[in-house]
Amino acid sequence: MPIHSASAVDAATVHPELWPQGHSPLPPDPAIEARVEALLAKMSVEDKVGQMIQADIKYVTPDDVRTYRLGSVLAGGNSKPNGQQTATAVQWQQLSDAFYRASMDTSGGRLAIPVLFGIDAVHGHNNLVGSTLFPQNSALGNARDPELIHEIGQATARELRASGINWTFAPTLTVPQDGRWGRAYEGYSQNPALVAQYAHAVIEGLEGKLGTSQYLDADHVIATAKHFLGDGGTRDGKDQGDAQVSETVLRDVHAAGYPPAIRAGVQVVMVSFSSWNGVKMAGNKALITDVLKGRMGFGGIVLGDWNAHGQVPGCTNEDCPVAYNAGLDMLEAPDSWKGLYKNTLAEVKSGVIPMARVDDAVTRILRVKLRLGMFEAGLPSANPLVARSAQVVGSPAHRALARRAVRESLVLLKNKGAVLPIDPRKHVLVAGDGADNISKQNGGWTLTWQGTGLTNANFPGATSIFAGIQAQVKAAGGSAELSVDGGYKQKPDVAIVVFGEDPYAEFQGDLPNLAYRPGNDHDLGLLRRLRAQGIPVVAVFLTGRPLWMNREINAADAFVVAWLPGSEGEGIADVLLRTREGLIAHDFHGKLAYAWPRTAVQIPVAAAARGEQPQFPYGFGLTYTDRSDTGPLSEDAGVELSSARAGVYFTHGKPAQGFALRLTGADSAAVNVTATPAATTDGSLRISALDYKAQEDARSLDWSGGGKARAALVAPVPLDVDRETNGDVLLVTTLRIDTVSAAGTTIGVGCGSGCSGEVPIGKQLAALPRGQWLRVGVSLKCFRDAGADMSKLDRPFEWISSPGENIAITEVSLGTVADRTLDCRAH
């Protein structure tokens, strides 16, 4: 779909009469309406305001729910029972019961109104250890199978209910137009028609079929259509950015999934962080009230995203009457809920938020709770599925469904010389860092927010890609050898190389272009090395989105896009291998749901509007009966591939492109390092090259002069890392400590003249092991708390020390995973 430039005049004006007209598919239920009216009559203003606020389990307790009468809680991506990294079904059940009991406490004359519990179950119940993890949405779009999507919704709902949870923040109905967006893998397709088709199917799977006894019964959960509206169309694919498109494009492309979602009976719509032509969606009354609720007839709950209301002009996380007055019924205030409660209560009492608006919001919330049968259901653990959770969560039937989804999602881009399918009776080498890595094959939103910091042991019952291949090869009489680096004990008949994107979520996945790992040709080198040895090479690419891969496609005999396939890696073996009898059990089925870029700077959807051809068009996908004419492809990326990755400031011992490494001596004289060795003018700090994993891919810093000196990375333009700071991102330095100065060490950032944030780390540094390479992280919040303006960093890294310190550094970047995370409160 083309991206159009919106007119500068009245660019954000909404014309509701031009939008699809609809109505709630659920006719008014007199019994429910009477109960809602009776409850409203008994509720105090405090009761009502409490219903309109959602807090995160990391920042709220059952006692808080009892006191403030909160209407719902959520578990964010990194929020688990008891503050754990991961959690089991029993632990989720116990926590859900505790919140429910608190909400139903009638002591002191309180009203019993059951609390909703929401969670991001976006590719299965992905916060639950042992659950079935389905392929991410960008994979499922290639399957072109609405019935499959329906069944995935059903299975996800059952596993949620078995853990005591009754609400998922899914499906994502975004229509991504730019693969640089870090949430692109959450969208089914660039094609709004496919998204609309899937919307009805998945919601009916999650909630049950309208008009039947299964609708919102004990086997189903409340679904959430998100993110309303235009999050997949932001300029340059920037997360939480601005969709600068016409109202026609906003309606026909980005809103395509919402009418079918409403017709399917979806009970919640979540409003986006993003803007439309400069207007934040969380404050856009015309789209929320006039279009969604009015014209489209949506009768459920309109929910804000995680503190998104705080981005509305004039608002903060703790105070935003504008969002409520725009039509949001419930605000996600994970860590800001108490301040929001206090301010909202005062604004309702003063009339800033009209009581009619409050009553409309609370009516919608109560109506959904009654439709779900919450007032009669009792404890979440009373659900019949809970007693059988061990048989429901990760059940053989659910895993078989996920394995089928993997098979249907695979897309074959190249098969030169019919190297595929592979004879399983041969000796098969399985290489690459994704071969035996269940975390990598799942991506973000998997047990943790970013999907990082996990091992295969965190995924009981799951199957890695290598394990799936090994099982089938062994059963057929062949042999399989695992080698991440491509070495082997016995020369293989064929090599399968599994590689791709590392897990990420939201803005941490935003890219400046579509180059795959610019500046890091490790995977390309592995493909070329194996092929140069006369070994047929099959590339299996793990990714959330199409990336420029022409060099890797050329370097392989066959190229398979496996996307982010989830927990059932054996689904890949099902398609790549013949049966032991030499038959093809499963052919390739997937057709691209996103066009593939011709260069690293080509955005295929935008390019199509200019008449340019992508490398592989939407709908492309070979089968075993097709002749493969793929390649050789142009290896002109259209961009310098040594360009910096987003959020990487120093890599392989050198500043990222455009950055400078600056040394400032004890005499305050500064010098930019253009070659090594180098030193400050007074000799207080010296730098030299050092080998880490390759020749001169690290730098040694030696404080040997008389006084305090610093090494800093200077950005070509000021960097805005406010989003990353709010999102618990770390500044990660990959370093080796040889000696630590007795006078202390400080790490910091700079934000212009007289603006900085510095954190003393000397004592913690002294406690770390010597001579060992470590990733050492410091929360960006530490620098903000120390006084830095994180929206304009011109020096995103500074290391300040005194004589006696010697360290080596190979990389400085933003991330969420570190071997040691330093506590900025401990000096």
Side-chain angles (χ1 to χ4, degrees), residues 546-612:
L547 295 172
W548 185 72
M549 303 297 296
N550 285 17
R551 298 182 304 161
E552 288 82 1
I553 293 171
N554 286 342
D557 296 286
F559 196 94
V560 177
V561 188
W563 310 100
L564 298 172
S567 61
E568 306 311 301
E570 195 162 2
I572 292 169
D574 290 342
V575 181
L576 266 58
L577 303 177
R578 293 181 181 272
T579 66
R580 63 187 302 168
E581 294 80 20
L583 304 176
I584 296 174
H586 301 283
D587 201 344
F588 281 91
H589 175 94
K591 304 297 179 185
L592 289 178
Y594 294 90
W596 205 271
R598 183 171 292 276
T599 69
V601 292
Q602 184 192 59
I603 309 304
V605 178
R610 300 191 297 267
E612 300 174 11

Side-chain angles (χ1 to χ4, degrees), residues 414 416 495 497 499 521 523-533 535-539 549-559 630-633 635:
K414 178 182 181 179
K416 183 178 180 180
V497 181
F499 65 101
D521 288 345
D523 297 320
L524 176 64
L526 175 57
L527 294 169
R528 287 174 171 171
R529 187 170 72 251
L530 288 168
R531 203 176 185 198
Q533 295 169 27
I535 302 167
V537 174
V538 176
M549 303 297 296
N550 285 17
R551 298 182 304 161
E552 288 82 1
I553 293 171
N554 286 342
D557 296 286
F559 196 94
T630 306
L633 307 178
E635 297 195 0

Side-chain angles (χ1 to χ4, degrees), residues 8-25:
V9 180
D10 297 326
T13 301
V14 178
H15 303 84
E17 70 278 6
L18 300 180
W19 290 69
Q21 187 166 17
H23 59 82
S24 172

Side-chain angles (χ1 to χ4, degrees), residues 273 352 475:
F273 276 108
V352 172

